[in-house]
Amino acid sequence: MMFVATVAGAACMVAQEPLALSCAECRKLALEHNEDLQHADNELRKAELDKAIAFAGYLPKFDASVTGAYMAPDLDMMGMELQMRGMYMAGITLMQPLYTGGKIRAGNKMARMGVEAAQESLRKVRMQVIADADNAYWNYIAVLWKVRMLDAYKQQMDSIFAQVERSLSAGMATENDLLRITAKKSEIHYQWQKATNGANLCRLALCNVLGYPLETEIVPTDTVIAFSAPEQLDESIAARPELALLQKQVTIAEQQVKDARSGVLPQIGLSAGYVYYGNAKLNGTASDGQGGYIPFTQDFDDGLALVMASVSIPIFHWGEGLKKVKKAKLDLQSARLDLEKNTRLLRIEARQAVQNLTDGYNLVETARLGYAQADRNRQTMNGRYLAGLCTLTDLLDAQAQWQQAESNLIEAQTQYKIYETEYLRVTGRLEEE
């Protein structure tokens, strides 16, 4: 019984073992488990099947048919009886379109554009999944670092509290000083609880992006963030999948106009077939030339080949075809307007991303400088307080400035990484590492 409990406890420990992940690994896992990406892949496969279906419009179509008939009583045909008791017909037919007004060609071009659009849509979803993974990962790191920073801050306050207690015992501090330190400790503990709760929420968000159970403990392994000044930032949106999708919508709308126009043009086709029929009998009598009649029976077992060309010309359909053409042209105009409007929005988005990345780097440099100054000031004030050369107020102010400076640095660093990912996404260059 004890052995079973030990095994169960070990299994529980294994199940709860933290999962150490880098940003690149998070991207890979998100791409493997994302439902939207799987849906986009299915849409691509459907578009490829539509393309194959459309191409079949160029090819001849073969159909086979078999018909059986049993009729009783026999048919009277001018004194003769046609007997069809088990008559059968079997045949094969070939149909080849020769001219459809451009309908087949337009359909194939639309199908080809559909495949390309599905590929761009898949790219778009992939980049969004990567961006979501990066966003969740760096936000989680930011909150974890703040928790770690507040842990260090709590230890410093505990040390100062102990110093004030000793000073109070020696008559070198007041009860008010001890109360101020106690209040500061409570404030820091409150901030620590908020940060801890935020870290758990960010962990849940990251688990959701990765497709992992929400109970999974994740330990980020990117503990050092490398930075370099952004150079030659490009605002071009030429590689943006959203732009490609808008352009392909215009191309598809152009083909839809041709498809609608084909409905008012002649249709020419060629068909060929062969039918074999049998087991039909004709019973009757024939004159023998001497005033008498001789009964006879004729069996029908034979084949028939047939080749036909057909031309269909629409003459009057109450303007249905022309109205369809006008409607398709309006759809084309709308697609072009959408392209024009959204192209401007995509360019604005790219410019904003470039500005955010540049400003984000400057904020990191400013935050680094501010943190270095605040850390030096904190150490200096701590030494001066121990030497009795500054007040408790000066020391607490220095500690608060250090906390804010480190918090600013954490936010600036992680936000820069998010801006970096967003810049690559809005310029169409975000791919899995």
Side-chain angles (χ1 to χ4, degrees):
M1 195 69 178
M2 185 178 296
F3 174 76
V4 174
T6 303
V7 172
C12 183
M13 292 179 61
V14 171
Q16 295 178 355
E17 183 178 354
L19 183 64
L21 294 174
S22 66
C23 184
E25 290 169 334
C26 282
R27 289 182 173 188
K28 182 178 179 181
L29 290 172
L31 290 172
E32 288 176 355
H33 299 98
N34 187 265
E35 293 85 356
D36 291 337
L37 191 60
Q38 295 172 9
H39 177 73
D41 185 65
N42 288 340
E43 292 299 315
L44 174 58
R45 295 184 183 183
K46 288 166 59 178
E48 290 172 344
L49 291 173
D50 286 338
K51 180 183 176 182
I53 293 170
F55 182 76
Y58 286 119
L59 306 176
K61 294 177 174 57
F62 294 89
D63 294 302
S65 63
V66 177
T67 303
Y70 184 90
M71 184 176 292
D74 300 334
L75 292 178
D76 184 6
M77 300 182 64
M78 301 179 65
M80 294 180 291
E81 292 180 345
L82 179 61
Q83 198 176 76
M84 292 188 297
R85 299 176 183 177
M87 177 185 175
Y88 63 87
M89 292 185 295
I92 187 170
T93 305
L94 178 148
M95 298 288 294
Q96 175 64 56
L98 300 180
Y99 177 73
T100 60
K103 185 178 184 66
I104 297 177
R105 186 181 300 109
N108 274 267
K109 289 182 179 180
M110 285 191 289
R112 186 170 63 252
M113 289 296 104
V115 172
E116 294 174 3
Q119 290 170 342
E120 293 297 334
S121 181
L122 182 62
R123 270 189 70 225
K124 175 186 173 184
V125 175
R126 283 180 62 86
M127 288 194 288
Q128 187 61 58
V129 170
I130 293 173
D132 291 343
D134 282 13
N135 195 310
Y137 184 79
W138 292 115
N139 280 327
Y140 185 43
I141 282 183
V143 183
L144 286 180
W145 285 2
K146 286 188 177 182
V147 172
R148 185 184 63 186
M149 178 265 294
L150 289 169
D151 281 332
Y153 197 11
K154 286 171 60 179
Q155 293 176 6
Q156 292 172 10
M157 286 298 103
D158 289 339
S159 177
I160 295 174
F161 182 83
Q163 293 173 13
V164 172
E165 275 191 321
R166 289 192 296 268
S167 298
L168 181 62
S169 300
M172 300 176 62
T174 65
E175 289 286 347
N176 186 53
D177 291 338
L178 194 62
L179 290 174
R180 291 183 61 190
I181 292 294
T182 303
K184 191 65 177 177
K185 287 179 61 178
S186 298
E187 178 187 344
I188 296 171
H189 184 71
Y190 174 77
Q191 294 178 3
W192 178 85
Q193 282 186 321
K194 285 184 62 178
T196 302
N197 294 338
N200 187 54
L201 292 176
C202 290
R203 181 188 61 81
L204 293 176
L206 182 57
C207 288
N208 179 58
V209 170
L210 301 181
Y212 270 54
L214 298 182
E215 298 77 18
T216 306
E217 292 294 332
I218 299 176
V219 178
T221 59
D222 292 321
T223 55
V224 177
I225 303 178
F227 292 93
S228 59
E231 298 178 358
Q232 299 179 346
L233 295 177
D234 187 5
E235 297 181 6
S236 172
I237 59 172
R240 188 85 182 261
E242 290 87 344
L243 178 63
L245 285 170
L246 290 167
Q247 292 170 339
K248 293 187 188 305
Q249 286 176 2
V250 172
T251 305
I252 291 174
E254 291 172 345
Q255 297 304 317
Q256 286 174 336
V257 172
K258 295 179 180 179
D259 180 73
R261 189 178 291 125
S262 68
V264 298
L265 297 177
Q267 311 283 318
I268 303 175
L270 178 68
S271 64
Y274 179 81
V275 178
Y276 185 84
Y277 55 90
N279 203 24
K281 297 181 179 180
L282 183 63
N283 298 321
T285 57
S287 173
D288 59 1
Q290 298 178 358
Y293 292 91
I294 302 174
F296 72 91
T297 299
Q298 182 177 353
D299 293 328
F300 292 94
D301 290 287
D302 202 353
L304 177 65
L306 183 65
V307 177
M308 294 186 298
S310 63
V311 178
S312 174
I313 303 175
I315 297 178
F316 182 69
H317 292 177
W318 303 98
E320 177 186 359
L322 293 177
K323 289 182 176 67
K324 289 182 178 180
V325 173
K326 290 180 180 179
K327 180 183 175 183
K329 288 182 177 179
L330 290 174
D331 289 339
L332 173 58
Q333 184 181 5
S334 296
R336 287 171 174 166
L337 291 173
D338 287 341
L339 173 61
E340 184 178 350
K341 180 187 74 173
N342 288 293
T343 298
R344 290 197 306 269
L345 296 176
L346 293 176
R347 286 173 178 162
I348 292 173
E349 196 174 25
R351 181 163 297 183
Q352 184 65 52
V354 169
Q355 186 66 46
N356 286 341
L357 190 59
T358 303
D359 293 344
Y361 180 78
N362 293 334
L363 283 176
V364 170
E365 293 299 307
T366 302
R368 278 177 173 173
L369 179 60
Y371 173 75
Q373 293 172 344
D375 192 48
R376 284 196 301 268
N377 184 53
R378 177 182 63 85
Q379 294 176 11
T380 300
M381 286 300 173
N382 191 54
R384 294 184 66 186
Y385 179 76
L386 292 176
L389 299 177
C390 73
T391 65
L392 179 62
T393 299
D394 295 332
L395 177 60
L396 293 180
D397 287 344
Q399 293 285 357
Q401 291 171 6
W402 167 83
Q403 178 206 2
Q404 186 61 51
E406 184 167 5
S407 179
N408 291 342
L409 180 58
I410 291 171
E411 290 179 1
Q413 288 178 327
T414 52
Q415 188 61 50
Y416 177 82
K417 298 302 291 183
I418 293 174
Y419 283 151
E420 190 176 51
T421 299
E422 183 64 9
Y423 164 72
L424 294 174
R425 186 188 72 81
V426 300
T427 54
R429 294 194 287 269
L430 181 60
E431 297 294 342
E432 182 184 4
E433 293 181 355

